[in-house]
Amino acid sequence: MKSNAPIGIFDSGIGGLTVARAVKAVLPDEQLIYFGDTAHLPYGDKSTAAIQAYSVKITDFLLSKGCKVVLIACNSASAAAYDLVKEYTGSRARVFNVIDPAVGFVREQYKNTCVGLIGTKQTVNSGVYSGKIHSQTPNIDFRSLATPLLVPLIEEGFVNNEISHGIIKQYLDDPSLSGIEALILGCTHYPIIKKEIVALLGEDVKVIDSAETVAKALKGFLDYHQLAASARPGEDQFYVSDFTPAFESITKTFFGEKVHLDNYRLWE
Ligand code: DGL
């Protein structure tokens, strides 16, 4: 693995740019190669088998670009395809998912407490978060809730208004989340509504942002193995499997600045 090789990041679409943004914040000298599978969006309602097939093909693309790391930014793909992607990649690159760092944070900070998770149906119903949390933190009271309305809400720009407030509140008031001391944001899109979630939960509940925890874990890995880039090796690249101008304009919401998307028809 070469330190000046790029970091590959993939997601079902544009939402994973929140993870790319968190990575950039702690590793500004790295070159990113981002792939958003907009042709198959959303992954949150897809079968495990479909997500696995998409994820392996995208990983192949990122490996062909010489990436030293493949970061699965999508929680749904992290739940469905991490083991397979890791096996497929072997020693060619280091594979990260967004679930393990958040699970590690819970193990270190929230033993013997009640912790919640919100995410897509795929992420919650897969039981991957729950399985990993229970095996590492046996005395925990772990709750999870699928919150499928939040992704379309955020993509349509319904943020910080009465409608978003009402829907988020309704989800957070669900009895299954009562008594939690921390809440994992288990979806690429949720950092966009983090402020609203923090305000609704109050200061006694810690909000765990899986984009930030994976960015920290990635930095720790690169520093420890002396694999961090010494100087910026090249420009960041952003690919999507199906381009529309709407996808390009929404990049600003998730990345903080508008980026140019290259159409790469991986499925043809
Ligand atoms: N990227 C997905 C996730 O983090 C959310 C959007 C989708 O369902 O594709 O689970």
Side-chain angles (χ1 to χ4, degrees):
M1 257 180 252
K2 291 202 190 85
S3 59
N4 278 345
I7 291 174
I9 300 180
F10 81 85
D11 178 49
S12 56
I14 305 302
L17 287 173
T18 55
V19 177
R21 186 183 189 174
V23 168
K24 273 236 117 35
V26 295
L27 292 163
D29 290 333
E30 299 293 330
Q31 179 190 15
L32 306 185
I33 298 190
Y34 183 91
F35 192 94
D37 190 12
T38 49
H40 295 121
L41 187 86
Y43 279 10
D45 304 328
K46 296 277 185 308
S47 68
T48 297
I51 297 172
Q52 287 178 338
Y54 305 149
S55 299
V56 167
K57 189 139 185 191
I58 297 165
T59 299
D60 213 29
F61 170 77
L62 294 173
L63 293 174
S64 77
K65 293 268 179 193
C67 292
K68 62 186 170 192
V69 163
V70 173
L71 196 178
I72 309 176
C74 180
N75 279 262
S76 306
S78 291
Y82 171 63
D83 290 340
L84 190 67
V85 166
K86 199 170 159 217
E87 197 185 326
Y88 179 77
T89 302
S91 61
R92 291 180 286 175
R94 170 69 180 238
V95 181
F96 279 82
N97 66 69
V98 279
I99 297 176
D100 287 329
V103 169
F105 184 83
V106 168
R107 183 188 61 235
E108 282 158 23
Q109 309 280 334
Y110 289 92
K111 276 192 197 86
N112 308 319
T113 62
C114 180
V115 170
L117 163 78
I118 52 172
T120 65
K121 287 181 193 166
Q122 162 63 229
T123 298
V124 169
N125 296 341
S126 73
V128 171
Y129 264 104
S130 164
K132 288 188 176 193
I133 285 195
H134 279 122
S135 75
Q136 294 184 30
T137 317
N139 292 329
I140 205 162
D141 179 2
F142 181 71
R143 320 280 185 79
S144 55
L145 181 71
T147 50
L149 282 178
L150 298 183
V151 164
L153 189 80
I154 294 163
E155 289 190 349
E156 291 305 323
F158 282 81
V159 171
N160 252 324
N161 64 24
E162 252 173 61
I163 295 173
S164 66
H165 213 70
I167 294 174
I168 297 167
K169 184 166 172 8
Q170 177 112 10
Y171 277 139
L172 297 180
D173 284 347
D174 191 280
S176 63
L177 294 179
S178 85
I180 55 169
E181 287 176 39
L183 179 71
I184 302 170
L185 304 187
C187 177
T188 47
H189 289 52
Y190 301 171
I192 306 301
I193 51 167
K194 186 169 161 185
K195 275 197 189 139
E196 284 180 81
I197 293 174
V198 167
L200 281 164
L201 288 174
E203 54 192 29
D204 290 342
V205 181
K206 162 84 180 165
V207 172
I208 302 168
D209 182 338
S210 55
E212 279 173 10
T213 49
V214 75
K216 245 182 239 161
L218 174 57
K219 180 170 166 38
F221 167 79
L222 294 180
D223 287 347
Y224 184 79
H225 293 280
Q226 295 180 343
L227 278 171
S230 46
R232 202 129 189 281
E235 289 303 310
D236 296 336
Q237 297 167 25
F238 300 89
Y239 297 95
V240 286
S241 51
D242 185 31
F243 177 88
T244 68
F247 286 136
E248 195 162 77
S249 62
I250 207 177
T251 55
K252 188 164 191 300
T253 304
F254 295 100
F255 198 60
E257 60 185 272
K258 192 172 170 191
V259 297
H260 170 70
L261 298 177
D262 273 316
N263 198 6
Y264 192 90
R265 296 198 170 273
L266 193 57
W267 315 106
E268 284 172 7

